[in-house]
Amino acid sequence: MVTAHSLTYREGCKKCSRLVSYLASSKKKYATYHCKPVAAFGNTNAQLLIVGLAPGLHGANATGRPFTGDHAGDVLYRTLHQFGFASQPVSSSSHDSLQLKNCRITNAVKCLPPANRPTAQEVRNCNTYLRNELHLLNPKGIVLALGRIAHHAVLSALDLNPRKLPFAHGEIYELDCQLCLLDSYHCSRYNIQTRRLTQEMFEAIFIKVVSILESR
């Protein structure tokens, strides 16, 4: 039986031999970690889809929930709660009581990559899952791309040319398919510590999200 879950995620996916091998070695080192592809979190009919890069070693790769267990997740869920998209400000595990409201979170690549850097081919291999995520999204929804790789992955999934729609923090693109693409720097520890992205800048992105949703 084909379900929305099976279209957007496959636990036994073996498309990327490098990632399969890295997950296996990570499981040997961290026996209690998830160390499998990480499914999206949130309802498929949400109006806001947040697309990150890939699971972090001690974050989603450990907990099995996107952006859960690391610094990027702390920033993201605190901000989601502040703007009414999450029931609580902290995502501690895949078994806690947190619920997303009109929001879904996924990654351009479902599996942990070495050094948090997927290859271009690995992004392409995972793009079918993201394409299906986008088709399930509310047709007048918003896609928030966290970082350049997520931005390019979204455009590829929609058969759009990234050269014509370049990544830029705070940029908004109204796409022909009725979806709205909004760009933000990734809320990674590095970007926060170097102040490439501040909390105020990230909140400004969500002010735009709320404004766009209200206008639709």
Side-chain angles (χ1 to χ4, degrees):
M1 179 180 178
V2 177
T3 65
H5 184 77
S6 65
L7 290 172
T8 62
Y9 166 81
R10 189 158 65 86
E11 184 175 295
C13 182
K14 305 290 185 183
K15 289 182 180 180
C16 306
S17 58
R18 186 181 79 121
L19 301 189
V20 171
S21 176
Y22 190 56
L23 285 176
S25 63
S26 297
K27 187 66 173 178
K28 290 180 180 178
K29 189 172 183 179
Y30 304 102
T32 62
Y33 279 19
H34 177 74
C35 292
K36 291 183 286 189
V38 176
F41 176 43
N43 293 330
T44 55
N45 62 350
Q47 287 182 286
L48 172 62
L49 177 66
I50 298 173
V51 182
L53 171 58
L57 175 59
H58 302 298
N61 179 65
T63 63
R65 178 192 283 172
F67 286 89
T68 298
D70 57 17
H71 186 268
D74 292 344
V75 175
L76 178 60
Y77 284 105
R78 180 173 64 242
T79 309
L80 287 174
H81 180 257
Q82 178 181 346
F83 285 88
F85 294 105
S87 62
Q88 61 190 48
V90 176
S91 178
S92 57
S93 80
S94 60
H95 304 295
D96 64 19
S97 60
L98 173 65
Q99 293 185 338
L100 293 180
K101 304 175 182 180
N102 202 25
C103 177
R104 184 170 170 87
I105 305 174
T106 192
N107 280 304
V109 176
K110 301 287 188 183
C111 296
L112 168 73
N116 202 37
R117 290 183 180 274
T119 66
Q121 184 59 53
E122 287 162 355
V123 176
R124 285 193 291 270
N125 287 348
C126 219
N127 205 241
T128 298
Y129 299 124
L130 181 58
R131 183 188 301 267
N132 291 335
E133 291 271 12
L134 293 167
H135 287 165
L136 290 168
L137 185 65
N138 186 295
K140 292 188 177 181
I142 301 173
V143 183
L144 173 57
L146 300 182
R148 190 180 306 275
I149 291 177
H151 170 89
H152 284 183
V154 169
L155 294 179
S156 177
L158 295 172
D159 296 319
L160 296 172
N161 188 344
R163 292 183 179 179
K164 295 182 178 179
L165 303 166
F167 172 84
H169 178 79
E171 188 66 75
I172 300 171
Y173 294 106
E174 291 285 351
L175 307 179
D176 291 341
C177 60
Q178 292 189 296
L179 292 177
C180 177
L181 174 60
L182 173 58
D183 287 339
S184 173
Y185 291 134
H186 195 287
C187 51
S188 65
R189 182 187 295 273
Y190 177 81
N191 282 345
I192 297 296
Q193 288 183 338
T194 59
R195 296 189 66 78
R196 186 183 196 192
L197 178 69
T198 65
Q199 181 65 33
E200 292 76 16
M201 289 169 64
F202 203 45
E203 289 172 7
I205 292 294
F206 279 88
I207 290 172
K208 290 184 178 183
V209 168
V210 172
S211 176
I212 294 168
L213 287 178
E214 288 178 349
S215 70
R216 291 185 166 207

